[in-house]
Amino acid sequence: MSAKIYRPAKTAMQSGKAKSLDWVLEFEQEIPRSIDPIMGYTSSADMKSQIRMRFDTREEAVAYATRNGLTFRVVEPKESKRRRVAYADNFRFDRRQPWTH
């Protein structure tokens, strides 16, 4: 049984970083998903794929996985580059694109 430890990215609907600071331990799928022929639902017989455990730090998640004998892989998060943008830059004289209304 293998697990993936990662820090989730913020959703497009978020402006803050509320749920993206925790580390998540999630089990990999062992049994492939199947499609119900009548209704078209996607289902799985793998119950471990429904488990998501949250930890405050990466070290806690790694310690839990090693303590329970799980094989795991750690996915490092990509930090977003934030550009500082001022509202006054819209009215600068040396703008790249001309101001139009």
Side-chain angles (χ1 to χ4, degrees), residues 3 13 33 60 69 88:
M13 300 304 291
R33 295 181 184 207
E60 290 177 7

Side-chain angles (χ1 to χ4, degrees), residues 3 9 18-19 26 28-29 52-53 60 62 64-65 67 74 79 98:
K19 292 186 178 180
E26 191 175 75
E28 302 282 343
Q29 273 191 335
R52 295 184 76 195
M53 301 170 75
E60 290 177 7
V62 169
Y64 176 83
R67 185 172 55 240
V74 178
E79 296 296 327

Side-chain angles (χ1 to χ4, degrees), residues 7-11 14-17 20-21 76-84:
R7 200 169 81 188
K10 72 181 190 100
T11 64
Q14 279 180 310
S15 60
K17 294 185 176 183
S20 64
L21 298 178
E76 294 295 329
K78 292 183 180 178
E79 296 296 327
S80 62
K81 296 178 183 176
R82 302 286 293 177
R83 283 192 311 138
R84 296 185 67 87

Side-chain angles (χ1 to χ4, degrees), residues 43-59:
S43 63
S44 175
D46 188 14
M47 292 297 137
K48 290 199 186 301
S49 66
Q50 298 178 5
I51 298 173
R52 295 184 76 195
M53 301 170 75
R54 294 189 173 273
F55 297 94
D56 291 332
T57 62
R58 181 180 72 181
E59 289 77 21

